[in-house]
Amino acid sequence: MKRRPEKLGLTSLAAFLLLATHAAAQESQNAKNPQSALPTVDVATRQMTRVTCFSQVYELLLSRNSALRSSSATLASLQSDVQQASVHPNPTIGIDAENLAADRSQNANEYTASISQRVELGGKRRSRIDHAKAGVAVYDIQRRIALKDLIGQSRIAYAAVLFAKSRLSLVEQELAILKRTVRLISAKSSYGGALTLEVKRAELALESAQLKHAQNSQALQDTELRLVALWEGSRS
């Protein structure tokens, strides 16, 4: 029995064009706006292999997000300003020289040394300390708000990844069933037990499932890229 050569159906061609168009659109968007470029697929795949729960996403945010790490350094700098503001002003030392043009043989040069200490009155030191502490408090509040917003985004993105994975799993099960169905109907048709129309109908259903699988695979990849971008994209 000769096996019919496989042809690229219209549905399979549509799946190929869908993936090619998506890739071209993503490259165009990254070229126009490099700051918002998503991480590469390879980077996202490596990162997602280590993520099995949201606590790991949270750890990656804290350890790899450049904005959070920069804000921690800024907060530490502001806290050091509080310590500097509490320090008393340094004393100043001055030396004056006179009669330098006089006859050196008479040893008439005169030098005067002085030391002074600025005394702050009217609560200036306390005001300086309070101002520095207020700066720390305001920045810390802003930092906490930004962190909560980032965590909220990551929760939504992680939930989207889980949803995309579950949909892809269902489509893969459907695809496996249709593949077995096509094999059975094709074998039955070779012995005259099935109509050609039934074979065509099963093949069209298989191609439709393959297109759905391609779409859901791309959707999962997109959601993983958006999640990984929350900590990896900020480093590019």
Side-chain angles (χ1 to χ4, degrees), residues 175-212:
L175 185 60
I177 293 173
L178 287 173
K179 285 181 178 179
R180 290 196 298 268
T181 302
V182 169
R183 286 196 300 267
L184 291 174
I185 294 179
S186 298
K188 187 177 180 181
S189 175
S190 63
Y191 293 102
L195 297 177
T196 304
L197 181 60
E198 295 179 357
V199 177
K200 288 295 184 181
R201 187 180 301 156
E203 289 176 347
L204 288 175
L206 178 59
E207 288 187 358
S208 177
Q210 289 172 339
L211 175 59
K212 189 187 298 183

Side-chain angles (χ1 to χ4, degrees), residues 124-137:
K124 291 182 178 180
R125 178 170 175 268
R126 172 52 56 186
S127 177
R128 186 172 65 248
I129 295 173
D130 291 342
H131 179 75
K133 287 183 176 180
V136 172

Side-chain angles (χ1 to χ4, degrees), residues 166 168-178 180 213:
S166 64
L168 181 60
S169 177
L170 293 175
V171 172
E172 288 175 344
Q173 294 175 23
E174 178 186 358
L175 185 60
I177 293 173
L178 287 173
R180 290 196 298 268
H213 182 269

Side-chain angles (χ1 to χ4, degrees), residues 198-230:
E198 295 179 357
V199 177
K200 288 295 184 181
R201 187 180 301 156
E203 289 176 347
L204 288 175
L206 178 59
E207 288 187 358
S208 177
Q210 289 172 339
L211 175 59
K212 189 187 298 183
H213 182 269
Q215 292 172 335
N216 282 271
S217 297
Q218 187 63 57
L220 175 59
Q221 179 179 301
D222 291 343
T223 56
E224 288 182 341
L225 284 172
R226 284 192 287 270
L227 175 61
V228 175
L230 291 176

